Amino acid sequence: MATEVIKVTINGKGFEVPKGARLIDVCRDKAFDIPSFCYYADLALQASCRMCLVRIEKMPKLQTSCTIICTDGMVVTTQSDEIEKAQRSMLEFLLANHPLDCPVCDRGGECELQEMTFDWGGLEERFTEKKNYHPERYLSPIVANDPQRCILCKRCTRVCDEWMGEDAIEAGGRGANTVIGTYGGWLDCSQCGNCIEVCPTGTLLDGTYRHQARPWELSQTVSTCNYCSDGCQMSLGSRSGDLMRVVARDRYVNGLNGEFLCIKGRFGHPFVNHEERIRMPLIRYKKGGKLIPATWDEAIRHVARKLDEVADAHGPNSIGVVGSPRITNEANYLLYKFATELVGTTNYTTTDAFSLRPFFDNLGGPLATHRDIRYAKTIVLIGGEPEELQPLTGKQMRQAVRNGAANLIIFNSRRIRMVEQAAQFIHILPGTEDAVVLALADKSHDKLGTKQTGIDDGLFETVRQAIADTQGDVVIMFSGELSPEAQALIAQLPQSLRSDERRVLLHPLPLYNNSVGALDMGMMDTGTSAAQMLDAVGAPVRAMYVVGSFLPNQLHNRQAALSKLDFLVVQELFETDTTAFADVVLPAASYAEIDGTFTNNDGFVQRVRQSIPPVHQSKPDWMITAQIAIELEMNFGFELSASAVFREIADRIPAYAGLRYPVLKDETSPVQAKYKITDSRDLSTELTTLRQRVEAMAGSGEKLSEIPKVGHELFKIGTLTDKVPQFHLLASGNPRPETVRVSPLYQITVDAQLVNSES
Amino acid sequence: MSQLLQIQPLSQPVDIGDEVASFSPEVEKEIDRHLAKYPVPRSGILPLMFIVQRERGYLDPPGVAYLANRLRLRITDIWEVATFYSMLNTKPVGRYHVQICKTLSCKIMGEPGITEHVCNKLGIKPGETTTDGKFTVSLVECLGSCGTAPMFQVDFDYHENLTPQKVDQILDSLT
Amino acid sequence: MFIGAIGCEPLQLARVHLENSRTLEVYRQHGGYEALQKVLSSMSPDDVINEVKKSALRGRGGAGFPTGMKWSFVPKDSPKPKYVVCNADESEPGTFKDRYLMERDPHMLIEGMLIAAFALGAKTNYIYTRGEYRYLIDIMDVALDEARAAGLLGDKILNSNFSSEIYTHTGAGAYICGEETALLSSLEGMRGHPRMKPPFPAVSGLYACPTVVNNVETLTAVPDIIKMGGEAYQKLGTEKSGGTKVWSVSGHVNRPGVYELPMGYDDMEKFIMEDCGGMLNGRQLKAVIPGGSSVYIMRAEQVIGKDVRMDYEGLVAGGSSVGSGGFIVMDDSVDVFESTRNLTEFYKHESCGWCTPCREGTDWLVKVFKRIAAGNGRPEDAQLMLDLCDNIEGKSFCPLGDAAAWPIQSAIKRFPEDFRKHLVRSGQNQERLDEVRLT
Ligand SMILES: Cc1cc2nc3c(=O)[nH]c(=O)nc-3n(C[C@H](O)[C@H](O)[C@H](O)COP(=O)(O)O)c2cc1C
Ligand code: SF4
Ligand code: FES
């Protein structure tokens, strides 16, 4: 359906614009600048700053262009003495009570109010009265607040409500006494910091970066987040080798996430320059002995010799190679090459929590992009907890419901917070996600599914009907709870559910920044999990090459396996439970120090760019692998360039065919890998197996009624977030400090006990 | 560590705590009656706030927690509303709240004299509470008694055409 | 305090002096609920709207919008519930007529609301009363119970097929909640911020459903319109504004009170000097604010001998407007600088804080007034204030900003000597003040 086109005249020039276009967007699109503070695309209209005034013929008074939908024949003036006076006076009003402390304000240099003031120029200061006073304070360990600087555009309160569904921050008071804040003056929320990001002034401030640097000292590098599988684009701000902060401010970066980031992406970076980073290669010459610093040459030679010895003695399958869903495609690819071409072992895998291999092998429809999710009409979520584990997906879902009236259906064994947005929450028994897939895949199993999930009769039929009634996109999401057969069946659902007026898109919810990429690189092809690999220690595996570390639950009760290895080499940023058993530890460079690519849960292949040089003696993972290979007399031949590795990836892996770094350059239009979509695959065996699986389910147990607490996953202390003191405060329940005027960090002891100001 | 700054009083009430207010069955019934008027519970927020205020003196943290539970709202929702309206108290006030209208008609008909008289009599300034917690005096905007100015309202009771003698009588009769 | 009609038969105030005028019994003895009976037995909703249109009734809340027209904007075919909301937030300084209408004759309001509800197909209706008028809410609740018990409210009213409920609701101290969209926000349990128009409440109001918001006096006029017919009602007033208007008179007159006058009452001078008993203590008239604090202040010279007709057109011609009918009379003891400062403080206190110009502008203006009052005025301050007003007027989100600007603009323009006095007191050159352009 072609959108109708109408004519508008702006400043004497005629334009054709789509019907329904918003005047402020049209003006900006046609390069007529319109100043504004409160207008923010895809948030509820506010129309309170009154900066965007324009003159429209036949309308009384000046009009706010943010609230005007263009009509045919509309004649608009955006520049005139009258308009300039009005706009300048709004700015003057905003500055009246605004303190003139730009020189000490963290936002100075990238403050919209400051820029507007400079742009207008010649602003005479007529306000000579006393300014209203509000003391500075902290709202949480990571949100600092200077209420005096606030211009009440309420972007913060709107993102908190509309993006995050938290409504943790609001305007209190009235008139000139209006202050943005919270009850009790303390923020109990997921601490995403989006309120800080969208604040046009220095009112809400990054408490971890406070008074650390001025924006113009920082070099900005567009890169991809190294936490979850959503793959948010971000700008890394660094100064002389130190990563100072991470933002998604639209002046620096415009990725799939807009200005959205979660707490981990935005505040989880201080591990990069942390003092506990492994500084140099370390060798443990004797089991049970100490790790002793060594040179790179020494260490690489040592590793090569040891691996060679074990392979010679026990055959290639005695070498286990373990990649990681956290490292780049380039690094995983070289590990794959190392394992298959150099060593020739069949024992390789990654430390990912689960594998999406069966899903991708049976893919029956396109992957949904985050944009698709935002504009979807029906969303079905099976298991998972995106608001904690894939926060951007969570945000898109919320906006789809809120701004796009999407119908959200949730199958979950827990009453996750996302339920608040759901039109239908179907509360299933724990561990019965497979039964949901079985019923959705084949309606003859409705009865079985209903019984095993413990839900009311007819619910599967209503869900099927809701999908059938959808005009527009349906997105089906799932997470790690599914068995391989269920993954295969869900992957084929689009084949049976789609129609001419309905796309059915899939959105897997893996846990890590490069879960999908590691899979694409082939590292999960063996079907062996990390735990199985550990169980194979002794026979056949006798030596292991691990990049990253095993997850705590993989290692649980299996430490002995590591100690039994003849030889263990680990590439890591920090000492971990895995390096504790290593014979050689090689210092790896973090995401901020390297070039490469991550593939997110949309299938977008996105660039990781070097922001600072590798800290200490660390090196990119792929380069270390290549050097070990050279020592083992196989030269992969990439010299010092990640882009060359990527070229080979693109040439070898069909889904990546044709991709090059330059093609992936523009974060504003990310490129999706071309996964093979298989039509109507015969899945009768899978169906049978799944049915048996479901029949065998205990079919009893209790539904979990507790609502998971905000941040129970986000604030969890992992190897990386462990290095950020603020996360420890949050993980200890975000205690409200004695005085909110002093950084909470100064109010705790090392073991996160609150300091009493009385003592 | 004793150098840490003290908390400046913010325009916000203190921490919410865990306590939730409870009310007698009659009050609960009254609350039900209000909520029954509206298709959306949130609409009942102002009437309920007045009830909590009547029962507990002001919107104290347990009262706020009660409201949030009862109306299925977040604490922030209660806070943003409570601080918007001038009749809602997020801090304790005296047993009798003397609210003197200071807007134009009252002003020109003798409000300044009445305010002075009240303040002298009680020994406090507008915005303050007597030490025994009995009286709070506030200057408020037009209360719709312009034709019978000057006036004040003690809690919800109108007292109009005030003279110093009448003020004495009224305040003296309050126990 | 006087309460009664001058120059016409009392309509709105017909029963105020009767004993027990609040009771259903007295109301019915004096023709109460006959209009409702008539509507239910012999009229269609469109008939009602047409009568109201013919009556040339204009909203009495301040904006003066033709009521029949407002009612006709409600979409007939909307499947959503519809609401009639009575605006009893009466907080405009100088206005207290709604208070007495409700206090003395609550059933008149109930009858008017029910007729409106019938015309618009509303099943649920609310009376939003300012929180300070708690005793009126109690009065209304008693009256509503009476009406319910008598089959005049609730299911199958007067045994017809028409059912409708009315509930009272309380505000909690916020002038802005008198603005109809802010009132709806408040009724939904939000902060009382105004909302964007369009959509107008008639299309998307309370709970995003079609809603008519009318002032108390507007609704209480409806029973009489039905009883006497729209045309007859209109004839009581002028062609463009029909019927009678209730004025709240306060300030320096001998007989302040609630006055019902025919629209187009001739003239304002007579009204003050005779009807209201003349100036208090025999002092000189200095200024009149005829329509509540939000209208232009008039100088005595604009009233004395000027034959100002008291209706919408007459007052505009005379240099002000009807507004809410809050008629404040000031004698020569009043310093208009101080009175304007007083009102500006009111607007600052009541600005909801949503939009920049009103929030910051009123705050700034109050600070300027304060500085001048403290003896630190500057000759350019008058110009500064006018410019600030100009920057607020027409740019604010809702009319409160305009309402804050108008008193100042008119006061500086019409009483320059009172402002000059304060600027001169600070010992600065006064010539420049004479140059101040006041238009
Ligand atoms: C700031 C402001 C305050 C208002 N206060 C009141 C009020 O107290 N009572 C009232 O009836 N209308 C008030 N109004 C007018 C209402 O917005 C609305 O026009 C009126 O309720 C419509 O009813 P009517 O058509 O019967 O006059 C106010 C308007 C503004 C802008
Ligand atoms: S003009 Fe603006 S700040 Fe003032 S009351 Fe209206 S919306 Fe609120
Ligand atoms: S952008 Fe239009 S009013 Fe703020």
Side-chain angles (χ1 to χ4, degrees):
Chain A
M1 195 182 68
T3 36
E4 211 179 308
V5 170
I6 53 173
K7 288 203 178 68
V8 295
T9 308
I10 306 174
N11 296 342
K13 287 199 200 122
F15 298 100
E16 299 206 323
V17 301
K19 197 174 170 187
R22 194 166 289 285
L23 183 55
I24 191 169
D25 294 336
V26 169
C27 290
R28 288 177 172 176
D29 186 48
K30 308 297 176 205
F32 298 109
D33 183 48
I34 306 274
S36 77
F37 290 114
C38 67
Y39 179 64
Y40 195 99
D42 217 13
L43 285 184
L45 280 180
Q46 172 94 357
S48 67
C49 74
R50 318 304 286 177
M51 286 297 300
C52 65
L53 295 167
V54 298
R55 168 68 61 194
I56 300 173
E57 249 176 41
K58 299 204 197 84
M59 290 207 197
K61 311 201 279 193
L62 297 174
Q63 300 289 323
T64 44
S65 56
C66 66
T67 61
I68 302 283
I69 300 295
C70 293
T71 52
D72 199 24
M74 191 177 258
V75 179
V76 184
T77 310
T78 72
Q79 274 144 11
S80 71
D81 288 349
E82 171 200 36
I83 295 165
E84 177 169 342
K85 174 169 191 285
Q87 292 175 341
R88 289 176 76 101
S89 65
M90 292 312 123
L91 195 58
E92 184 183 33
F93 280 139
L94 289 174
L95 290 172
N97 277 306
H98 189 90
L100 290 177
D101 60 353
C102 305
V104 295
C105 174
D106 277 345
R107 198 45 76 87
E110 50 187 23
C111 165
E112 293 176 33
L113 185 64
Q114 190 186 40
E115 281 163 2
M116 199 100 72
T117 309
F118 285 167
D119 281 358
W120 282 113
L123 219 61
E124 168 198 5
E125 202 184 356
R126 297 194 293 173
F127 182 87
T128 53
E129 323 301 329
K130 208 166 161 333
K131 291 180 191 262
N132 297 339
Y133 172 73
H134 293 286
E136 283 183 48
R137 58 191 175 177
Y138 278 81
L139 292 178
S140 83
I142 55 171
V143 184
N145 178 214
D146 189 345
Q148 290 197 92
R149 299 180 182 148
C150 180
I151 59 171
L152 290 172
C153 67
K154 295 210 195 144
R155 289 188 199 172
C156 52
T157 65
R158 285 178 287 160
V159 295
C160 189
D161 184 15
E162 298 178 36
W163 287 4
M164 306 310 295
E166 297 183 24
D167 211 0
I169 187 165
E170 259 304 346
R174 183 169 84 193
N177 297 324
T178 312
V179 205
I180 301 293
T182 72
Y183 189 95
W186 199 241
L187 253 182
D188 241 337
C189 66
S190 74
Q191 314 285 337
C192 63
N194 287 316
C195 53
I196 300 173
E197 194 75 276
V198 298
C199 177
T201 69
T203 306
L204 294 164
L205 297 162
D206 179 342
T208 70
Y209 157 84
R210 204 150 192 220
H211 305 315
Q212 302 278 309
R214 312 311 312 267
W216 58 86
E217 302 170 341
L218 302 180
S219 52
Q220 303 287 343
T221 310
V222 173
S223 194
T224 304
C225 180
N226 80 322
Y227 281 101
C228 88
S229 64
D230 278 332
C232 289
Q233 296 299 291
M234 47 176 47
S235 178
L236 311 184
S238 65
R239 183 181 64 184
S240 41
D242 285 335
L243 180 59
M244 303 301 296
R245 67 162 193 191
V246 168
V247 295
R249 215 149 284 158
D250 61 7
R251 63 186 61 212
Y252 305 124
V253 54
N254 282 286
L256 71 165
N257 48 310
E259 295 196 307
F260 170 94
L261 288 176
C262 75
I263 176 173
K264 288 181 158 173
R266 186 172 280 116
F267 304 110
H269 58 82
F271 70 86
V272 169
N273 294 99
H274 196 268
E275 57 179 15
E276 286 171 24
R277 278 284 293 273
I278 297 170
R279 291 163 189 248
M280 59 200 71
L282 302 165
I283 301 178
R284 199 188 314 268
Y285 290 96
K286 200 169 88 214
K287 287 275 176 202
K290 271 201 155 154
L291 284 168
I292 314 262
T295 66
W296 268 110
D297 285 350
E298 224 179 323
I300 296 279
R301 266 204 306 278
H302 188 76
V303 171
R305 196 172 60 243
K306 288 287 188 182
L307 290 177
D308 214 17
E309 277 171 24
V310 175
D312 275 354
H314 305 284
N317 282 346
S318 64
I319 310 280
V321 178
V322 182
S324 165
R326 286 231 179 271
I327 60 174
T328 58
N329 286 324
E330 290 72 3
N332 274 310
Y333 176 73
L334 279 204
L335 282 175
Y336 177 77
K337 215 167 142 86
F338 186 93
T340 56
E341 293 178 21
L342 194 155
V343 181
T345 175
T346 55
N347 285 315
Y348 55 92
T349 185
T350 73
T351 48
D352 208 342
F354 61 94
S355 165
L356 285 169
R357 191 73 270 163
F359 169 77
F360 277 97
D361 285 344
N362 294 286
L363 197 62
L367 293 187
T369 65
H370 283 90
R371 203 189 137 74
D372 292 332
I373 299 171
R374 161 65 185 83
Y375 293 100
K377 289 289 163 230
T378 299
I379 300 174
V380 183
L381 171 68
I382 303 169
E385 194 179 9
E387 64 271 47
E388 292 278 325
L389 296 166
Q390 293 84 9
L392 175 62
T393 297
K395 175 227 163 200
Q396 299 297 84
M397 292 165 73
R398 257 177 236 115
Q399 284 205 294
V401 172
R402 212 195 142 105
N403 307 6
N407 182 12
L408 172 61
I409 301 165
I410 293 181
F411 287 96
N412 208 303
S413 59
R414 289 171 311 158
R415 191 172 278 280
I416 56 173
R417 279 185 292 126
M418 192 62 86
V419 166
E420 272 181 39
Q421 273 78 35
Q424 199 169 13
F425 168 50
I426 305 178
H427 200 167
I428 58 173
L429 287 166
T432 60
E433 287 81 3
D434 269 5
V436 174
V437 177
L438 178 70
L440 290 182
D442 181 347
K443 66 163 138 230
S444 68
H445 294 112
D446 270 12
K447 248 217 171 92
L448 177 63
T450 303
K451 173 164 159 274
Q452 297 298 58
T453 52
I455 61 175
D456 292 343
D457 284 341
L459 284 179
F460 288 118
E461 193 47 44
T462 48
V463 173
R464 232 176 264 119
Q465 198 54 47
I467 294 175
D469 290 344
T470 307
Q471 303 206 347
D473 288 353
V474 176
V475 178
I476 299 176
M477 304 184 178
F478 66 96
S479 187
E481 294 90 349
L482 301 189
S483 65
E485 296 76 26
Q487 271 195 26
L489 288 165
I490 210 169
Q492 280 289 310
L493 277 182
Q495 291 292 335
S496 54
L497 298 178
R498 69 171 180 216
S499 78
D500 287 345
E501 72 248 24
R502 177 170 63 247
R503 291 197 301 168
V504 176
L505 309 168
L506 296 161
H507 190 68
L509 297 169
L511 297 181
Y512 298 103
N513 52 316
N514 204 24
S515 288
V516 175
L519 186 83
D520 292 343
M521 295 307 110
M523 283 304 286
M524 320 275 283
D525 286 356
T526 55
T528 320
S529 71
Q532 285 165 338
M533 173 87 92
L534 284 168
D535 290 338
V537 168
V541 177
R542 312 198 61 128
M544 240 187 240
Y545 175 16
V546 182
V547 179
S549 291
F550 290 102
L551 299 174
N553 67 336
Q554 294 163 342
L555 220 44
H556 186 66
N557 289 335
R558 294 194 183 88
Q559 271 101 341
L562 285 182
S563 61
K564 274 195 301 192
L565 284 168
D566 293 349
F567 182 70
L568 173 63
V569 52
V570 182
Q571 282 168 214
E572 249 300 358
L573 304 176
F574 295 99
E575 296 199 11
T576 64
D577 288 350
T578 306
T579 62
F581 298 94
D583 298 288
V584 176
V585 180
L586 301 172
S590 77
Y591 80 119
E593 300 146 48
I594 58 168
D595 285 317
T597 52
F598 293 151
T599 307
N600 81 344
N601 52 25
D602 297 338
F604 285 144
V605 186
Q606 305 190 105
R607 298 272 301 266
V608 178
R609 290 186 180 85
Q610 182 177 13
S611 154
I612 56 171
V615 302
H616 309 299
Q617 294 185 27
S618 64
K619 292 187 189 211
D621 286 301
W622 69 268
M623 209 182 277
I624 304 173
T625 309
Q627 283 181 352
I628 300 173
I630 289 176
E631 204 55 39
L632 290 168
E633 282 159 29
M634 182 180 275
N635 189 345
F636 293 152
F638 298 120
E639 302 308 329
L640 290 173
S641 133
S643 55
V645 182
F646 190 76
R647 287 182 55 174
E648 186 171 311
I649 293 175
D651 291 345
R652 295 259 192 108
I653 294 174
Y656 288 56
L659 299 186
R660 293 289 184 264
Y661 275 10
V663 178
L664 308 176
K665 191 168 165 175
D666 182 6
E667 86 280 0
T668 62
S669 42
V671 181
Q672 207 171 20
K674 289 181 228 39
Y675 296 105
K676 187 154 165 267
I677 295 177
T678 27
D679 293 340
S680 323
R681 179 166 281 212
D682 175 19
L683 290 174
S684 47
T685 22
E686 280 84 351
L687 196 65
T688 313
T689 321
L690 186 63
R691 198 188 60 234
Q692 286 159 355
R693 226 186 249 283
V694 172
E695 278 165 349
M697 281 175 180
S700 63
E702 291 267 320
K703 287 186 186 175
L704 309 169
S705 56
E706 204 186 329
I707 302 173
K709 227 175 128 47
V710 180
H712 73 103
E713 289 289 348
L714 284 167
F715 306 159
K716 230 182 215 170
I717 303 294
T719 307
L720 304 183
T721 52
D722 175 49
K723 308 302 179 293
V724 191
Q726 282 85 355
F727 275 78
H728 286 275
L729 274 178
L730 295 171
S732 344
N734 190 13
R736 186 180 195 274
E738 284 285 305
T739 154
V740 295
R741 302 201 52 203
V742 180
S743 163
L745 280 186
Y746 292 105
Q747 311 187 37
I748 47 159
T749 64
V750 275
D751 21 280
Q753 297 293 309
L754 276 180
V755 173
N756 192 335
S757 65
E758 300 306 313
S759 61
Chain B
M1 278 297 161
S2 57
Q3 313 298 355
L4 291 182
L5 292 165
Q6 287 302 303
I7 305 184
Q8 284 269 323
L10 303 175
S11 58
Q12 301 174 4
V14 288
D15 242 334
I16 184 79
D18 298 327
E19 198 193 327
V20 181
S22 63
F23 298 109
S24 69
E26 295 80 65
V27 174
E28 282 292 338
K29 231 188 255 145
E30 187 186 354
I31 289 174
D32 289 337
R33 239 188 353 260
H34 279 293
L35 290 179
K37 296 177 181 178
Y38 313 102
V40 183
R42 184 166 181 153
S43 280
I45 195 166
L46 294 182
L48 264 58
M49 279 175 168
F50 277 118
I51 293 174
V52 171
Q53 200 159 289
R54 182 189 73 208
E55 297 293 315
R56 307 187 60 91
Y58 73 110
L59 296 176
D60 62 343
V64 167
Y66 173 88
L67 289 168
N69 286 347
R70 190 67 203 254
L71 299 168
R72 279 174 274 130
L73 294 174
R74 292 176 206 276
I75 297 288
T76 337
D77 296 327
I78 309 289
W79 173 74
E80 59 167 345
V81 172
T83 54
F84 185 87
Y85 297 93
S86 60
M87 294 176 74
L88 300 171
N89 302 314
T90 48
K91 286 193 229 84
V93 290
R95 192 140 38 89
Y96 297 105
H97 194 175
V98 182
Q99 301 152 87
I100 311 171
C101 171
K102 60 157 275 250
T103 316
L104 189 53
S105 298
C106 284
K107 179 75 120 202
I108 61 176
M109 295 303 285
E111 171 271 320
I114 296 299
T115 304
E116 197 185 322
H117 187 75
V118 171
C119 288
N120 284 344
K121 189 173 167 70
L122 300 178
I124 50 174
K125 291 206 285 289
E128 293 178 349
T129 304
T130 52
T131 40
D132 58 1
K134 188 167 166 192
F135 291 103
T136 298
V137 174
S138 304
L139 294 181
V140 301
E141 298 294 351
C142 182
L143 291 172
S145 290
C146 323
T148 41
M151 67 80 65
F152 62 46
Q153 214 183 7
V154 179
D155 299 332
F156 287 110
D157 297 332
Y158 275 80
H159 300 280
E160 312 180 78
N161 291 319
L162 291 177
T163 58
Q165 295 73 23
K166 220 169 149 187
V167 168
D168 287 343
Q169 234 173 31
I170 296 162
L171 295 185
D172 291 343
S173 73
L174 297 172
T175 47
Chain C
M1 202 196 72
F2 175 83
I3 173 161
I6 304 259
C8 61
E9 283 300 307
L11 286 180
Q12 303 256 8
L13 303 181
R15 283 163 300 271
V16 290
H17 292 294
L18 299 172
E19 208 171 320
N20 294 327
S21 63
R22 281 177 204 165
T23 59
L24 177 59
E25 197 190 339
V26 171
Y27 186 61
R28 286 194 114 161
Q29 279 164 7
H30 292 83
Y33 290 108
E34 281 170 13
L36 180 64
Q37 177 77 60
K38 179 174 169 192
V39 163
L40 294 182
S41 58
S42 65
M43 291 173 83
S44 72
D46 281 339
D47 294 343
V48 176
I49 295 179
N50 276 336
E51 278 317 308
V52 174
K53 276 188 175 161
K54 275 193 257 169
S55 75
L57 173 66
R58 293 174 64 167
R60 304 292 195 237
F65 194 83
T67 305
M69 186 154 21
K70 186 188 265 189
W71 289 9
S72 64
F73 291 155
V74 171
K76 295 256 148 23
D77 45 1
S78 166
K80 292 184 178 172
K82 299 174 190 71
Y83 296 97
V84 171
V85 177
C86 170
N87 187 343
D89 193 58
E90 193 168 64
S91 317
E92 173 97 355
T95 315
F96 46 91
K97 62 186 172 80
D98 295 345
R99 175 178 165 197
Y100 287 97
L101 291 173
M102 291 164 81
E103 179 186 303
R104 305 280 174 97
D105 208 350
H107 282 284
M108 181 167 52
L109 175 58
I110 298 175
E111 186 176 8
M113 279 185 83
L114 285 174
I115 295 171
F118 173 79
L120 302 165
K123 298 266 166 293
T124 313
N125 314 285
Y126 296 98
I127 305 173
Y128 185 108
T129 311
R130 65 180 298 188
E132 294 88 341
Y133 283 173
R134 166 62 55 86
Y135 83 104
L136 290 183
I137 301 180
D138 296 341
I139 290 174
M140 287 311 306
D141 277 335
V142 170
L144 287 168
D145 284 344
E146 270 186 309
R148 214 170 275 127
L152 290 161
L153 184 63
D155 267 352
K156 304 216 173 294
I157 294 172
L158 292 169
N159 298 320
S160 70
N161 279 331
F162 174 62
S163 304
S164 202
E165 241 325 327
I166 299 177
Y167 298 111
T168 52
H169 182 86
T170 177
Y175 166 65
I176 185 61
C177 292
E179 196 284 327
E180 53 183 357
T181 59
L183 182 148
L184 296 176
S185 303
S186 177
L187 185 44
E188 288 176 10
M190 316 286 194
R191 289 160 66 83
H193 289 302
R195 303 177 183 168
M196 219 133 14
K197 292 194 252 186
F200 289 91
V203 177
S204 177
L206 189 60
Y207 311 121
C209 298
T211 305
V212 161
V213 181
N214 272 133
N215 175 251
V216 174
E217 188 192 341
T218 314
L219 290 166
T220 51
V222 172
D224 284 319
I225 292 173
I226 297 298
K227 267 191 278 185
M228 66 172 69
E231 239 155 280
Y233 181 86
Q234 179 268 315
K235 293 231 162 71
L236 295 174
T238 67
E239 192 187 329
K240 283 192 186 144
S241 15
T244 61
K245 162 86 193 119
V246 183
W247 299 80
S248 321
V249 179
S250 65
H252 295 135
V253 287
N254 280 318
R255 219 164 46 141
V258 180
Y259 289 77
E260 181 169 11
L261 305 182
M263 275 292 184
Y265 183 78
D266 226 11
D267 69 325
M268 191 190 287
E269 182 183 355
K270 172 166 164 281
F271 179 59
I272 299 171
M273 297 307 172
E274 295 172 21
D275 306 330
C276 298
M279 297 302 292
L280 193 65
N281 302 328
R283 294 189 73 117
Q284 287 296 309
L285 176 69
K286 176 166 181 177
V288 180
I289 299 177
S293 61
S294 304
V295 303
Y296 287 160
I297 185 170
M298 297 169 79
R299 233 184 129 88
E301 290 86 330
Q302 293 173 290
V303 178
I304 309 289
K306 284 293 182 323
D307 217 6
V308 179
R309 258 186 29 236
M310 294 179 64
D311 62 15
Y312 290 93
E313 296 74 27
L315 271 173
V316 170
S320 191
S321 40
V322 171
S324 63
F327 197 91
I328 310 173
V329 180
M330 292 181 267
D331 68 20
D332 55 3
S333 68
V334 172
D335 177 351
V336 173
F337 172 87
E338 278 300 335
S339 73
T340 312
R341 175 187 176 187
N342 181 281
L343 291 181
T344 308
E345 281 170 357
F346 169 80
Y347 288 109
K348 184 212 148 157
H349 186 257
E350 300 301 336
S351 166
C352 80
W354 185 263
C355 73
T356 307
C358 170
R359 177 185 72 237
E360 299 296 335
T362 53
D363 184 56
W364 189 341
L365 283 162
V366 164
K367 286 174 177 169
V368 174
F369 269 113
K370 197 170 153 198
R371 176 167 53 75
I372 297 175
N376 297 317
R378 304 182 195 121
E380 61 269 26
D381 279 338
Q383 190 73 72
L384 173 68
M385 286 198 273
L386 285 175
D387 193 49
L388 293 180
C389 289
D390 181 52
N391 291 343
I392 299 172
E393 188 194 1
K395 282 127 202 144
S396 56
F397 186 92
C398 85
L400 192 146
D402 301 334
W406 293 332
I408 304 177
Q409 290 171 330
S410 54
I412 296 183
K413 182 172 158 186
R414 293 176 181 168
F415 296 88
E417 67 278 9
D418 280 17
F419 284 78
R420 183 174 303 130
K421 196 168 68 200
H422 287 270
L423 301 179
V424 167
R425 198 169 56 193
S426 57
Q428 304 194 22
N429 120 33
Q430 73 155 292
E431 276 83 71
R432 280 176 60 198
L433 201 71
D434 297 330
E435 291 164 21
V436 168
R437 291 255 60 81
L438 298 172
T439 39

